[in-house]
Amino acid sequence: MARGPELFKLEHVTQRFRLPQGDVTVLNDVSFTASEGEFIAIVGPSGAGKSTILRLISGLLKPSQGQVIYKGRPLTQTNLEAAMVFQNFGLLPWLTVAQNVELGLEPRGLDRAARRKRVATYIAKVGLEGYEEAYPRELSGGMKQRVGLARALAVEPEILLMDEPFSSLDALTSINLRDELIDIWSDRDFPVNTVVMVTHMIEEAIELADRVLVLSSRPGQIAGDLQIDLPRPRDKRDKAFSEYVDKIFSLIA
Amino acid sequence: MDKPGGTTHAAANESNQPLPQIGISEILGLVELLRAKGGREDIYKLARELQMEFGDTLTVIRAAELLGLVHTPGGDVEIDKAGDEIGRAKIGDRKGIIHDQLLKLPVFNTLSGFLKEKEDHRASRDEVLEKLAELIPNENAEQTFTTLVQWGRYAELFGYNDDSETFYLDTEASA
Ligand SMILES: Nc1ncnc2c1ncn2[C@@H]1O[C@H](COP(=O)(O)OP(=O)(O)OP(=O)(O)O)[C@@H](O)[C@H]1O
Ligand SMILES: [Mg+2]
């Protein structure tokens, strides 16, 4: 997808948490700019602050130092233009698939008819027709994550945040969901065009993203910022692909 | 890429085969992986690459085979025409292919016919379990039940409401 104007940026963001045994610095002076239309993957070791960056972009967390600028303005409250997909799906077990997908819509002021329509549209987009009245307990992991994705997409956010969306799925299911995500994302009438995905799998980052940000171990700092110039669909067995893998690996290690 | 002698499912004439506990996403993932590999792979190698138990890999392959998406010549797994089609299809078109493949399986075909014959196009969970026990004797029908519901829902062959424990023809789901 073509790279557009600036959507958001982190400016010298440092994040500390107060713990009983003292303060910990989780992110240290992190700066980067994201453009509209980019698919950015963030990789880095456990505890590097990857999820923290997503929470900062969603406005759920205020930086200890520095600021998050969204569309030219400092972000001071929950970012209603962002929607999140979680590793553990984040579904409410007592609600059906359709009700879970509808969850994010009410706070955004859509009336009932508009909500229904959105729900139907995004359930179809992720291939969940037929599951509308199923409960999460009746679903496989792959279907649960489709619900998570449909719920995030249904709000038609400007930016989609995904925190290790495939890591609690088995190997084959995650192949399937990555494949379908590419399918959805390359669709012309896909409303979202900017994605930030956290992963600890380097190959997954290279397969999906236009750009990979590499975080060093705690406190997280930007250790690398790479454009992935490979045509899609990408093949792990390509030489150029494995060169990216090696490069990112050496940046983390 | 078809088996010599036609496209019949390996299991289509074995009406008494229980359904494996495998979700549609895994089957789709297998088909996508095979396509990326040019359509054929050694099963042992595939299991190793996926870091899956050999037995688990085989169970997914058997499920895909039951659906007529792959077959297993020698120690390999090879994609079939329907598998290739589904791999190429957009998300929205995949259901139709699975739908057609399911109807070639006696369990789904019989159940779909059973619902059609009923005046209200509905059946209770118990009625369906009874039917399953007839179709797949000597097997725990409950085990097949989960997969039956999952695959049937995906293909929109029928719907199931777990609150009322009712099956219904999916054409009525959008009410
Ligand atoms: N609200 C909080 N209070 C205290 N510590 C926190 C808080 N949120 C995160 N942390 C700590 O900050 C560090 C970085 O957390 P974060 O979840 O961002 O890392 P991560 O890179 O996503 O790691 P992982 O790969 O394990 O998910 C961790 O050590 C975590 O325990
Ligand atoms: Mg995390």
Side-chain angles (χ1 to χ4, degrees):
Chain A
M1 216 167 274
R3 219 173 142 164
E6 172 186 314
L7 185 62
F8 72 87
K9 62 182 166 193
L10 269 68
E11 278 184 341
H12 304 292
V13 167
T14 291
Q15 187 66 50
R16 285 185 212 96
F17 291 113
R18 183 139 294 167
L19 295 177
Q21 55 274 39
D23 283 8
V24 283
T25 304
V26 167
L27 293 171
N28 186 18
D29 194 21
V30 169
S31 299
F32 69 91
T33 301
S35 307
E36 265 176 49
E38 268 190 316
F39 192 134
I40 298 176
I42 301 177
V43 300
S46 183
K50 303 183 296 295
S51 300
T52 301
I53 290 181
L54 294 190
R55 288 171 64 215
L56 286 162
I57 300 166
S58 65
L60 297 171
L61 189 67
K62 289 206 180 63
S64 317
Q65 271 172 5
Q67 52 184 357
V68 180
I69 308 282
Y70 192 87
K71 285 190 157 173
R73 290 161 188 238
L75 194 60
T76 54
Q77 53 187 10
T78 307
N79 186 350
L80 285 177
E81 304 301 341
M84 183 96 88
V85 174
F86 302 94
Q87 177 176 358
N88 294 316
F89 323 123
L91 307 181
L92 299 182
W94 59 89
L95 297 182
T96 63
V97 165
Q99 289 164 341
N100 268 288
V101 173
E102 194 175 338
L103 269 183
L105 300 180
E106 220 164 333
R108 285 170 170 86
L110 273 91
D111 67 29
R112 215 184 138 140
R115 293 204 301 266
R116 285 258 168 118
K117 198 164 165 234
R118 284 274 184 100
V119 168
T121 302
Y122 288 94
I123 278 184
K125 210 169 262 300
V126 302
L128 273 176
E129 293 143 307
Y131 291 88
E132 288 83 352
E133 59 178 357
Y135 289 95
R137 63 169 183 273
E138 299 179 83
L139 304 181
S140 63
M143 293 303 161
K144 283 184 189 156
Q145 195 55 302
R146 282 179 172 81
V147 182
L149 187 61
R151 182 183 53 198
L153 295 180
V155 308
E156 301 190 344
E158 289 175 349
I159 178 167
L160 180 66
L161 305 173
M162 299 198 287
D163 197 350
E164 310 220 19
F166 310 115
S167 37
S168 39
L169 305 172
D170 63 85
L172 287 169
T173 298
S174 57
I175 288 173
N176 172 227
L177 263 75
R178 279 195 291 268
D179 185 84
E180 297 199 349
L181 180 70
I182 293 172
D183 190 15
I184 294 169
W185 193 58
S186 49
D187 187 351
R188 278 171 171 283
D189 47 52
F190 185 45
V192 187
N193 60 29
T194 310
V195 180
V196 182
M197 177 186 76
V198 161
T199 177
H200 61 266
M201 290 173 63
I202 295 173
E203 289 190 344
E204 182 173 284
I206 300 168
E207 184 186 338
L208 295 175
D210 299 314
R211 176 180 172 198
V212 179
L213 290 178
V214 184
L215 284 189
S216 62
S217 56
R218 204 173 72 198
Q221 280 179 300
I222 307 269
D225 185 347
L226 284 83
Q227 292 292 326
I228 308 298
D229 292 314
L230 295 174
R232 293 186 170 88
R234 294 171 178 168
D235 189 344
K236 282 180 198 165
R237 293 165 299 177
D238 275 355
K239 193 161 160 282
F241 193 106
S242 38
E243 282 168 6
Y244 279 116
V245 174
D246 293 345
K247 187 151 185 203
I248 293 174
F249 201 77
S250 67
L251 286 167
I252 292 180
Chain B
M1 266 184 251
D2 285 335
K3 252 184 302 188
T7 55
T8 46
H9 290 194
N13 37 16
E14 291 172 49
S15 59
N16 55 356
Q17 180 147 333
L19 299 175
Q21 303 266 313
I22 296 294
I24 291 288
S25 312
E26 282 170 89
I27 296 170
L28 293 175
L30 172 72
V31 165
E32 285 153 2
L33 183 61
L34 276 177
R35 282 192 83 236
K37 290 179 170 301
R40 183 169 176 152
E41 182 62 290
D42 177 81
I43 298 177
Y44 206 79
K45 249 175 88 181
L46 198 69
R48 266 230 315 254
E49 181 188 323
L50 291 165
Q51 295 181 309
M52 279 172 71
E53 297 277 345
F54 183 74
D56 293 344
T57 312
L58 212 53
T59 309
V60 183
I61 290 171
R62 292 277 174 246
E65 195 169 25
L66 192 67
L67 286 169
L69 306 177
V70 303
H71 63 278
T72 48
D76 285 3
V77 51
E78 185 172 17
I79 201 159
D80 274 323
K81 188 160 161 279
D84 195 55
E85 265 169 36
I86 209 168
R88 247 183 304 126
K90 294 268 165 206
I91 293 170
D93 299 327
R94 292 182 157 184
K95 287 174 185 292
I97 301 170
I98 297 282
H99 182 274
D100 294 348
Q101 297 303 102
L102 285 184
L103 281 177
K104 295 180 192 165
L105 296 177
V107 173
F108 286 91
N109 200 297
T110 308
L111 192 61
S112 152
F114 178 62
L115 287 169
K116 271 185 196 142
E117 276 165 29
K118 297 200 77 170
E119 208 170 316
D120 57 357
H121 299 322
R122 279 165 189 271
S124 71
R125 182 176 190 274
D126 288 342
E127 282 176 288
V128 170
L129 281 173
E130 227 172 88
K131 266 266 172 263
L132 281 180
E134 282 169 29
L135 286 163
I136 314 170
N138 313 319
E139 278 296 331
N140 181 358
E142 296 265 358
Q143 221 179 329
T144 286
F145 186 84
T146 318
T147 303
L148 182 85
V149 171
Q150 288 186 359
W151 293 8
R153 267 181 179 150
Y154 179 82
E156 298 183 271
L157 198 55
F158 44 74
Y160 177 68
N161 184 310
D162 195 51
D163 285 330
S164 58
E165 301 197 332
T166 325
F167 277 82
Y168 52 87
L169 277 182
D170 202 33
T171 45
E172 317 192 342
S174 46

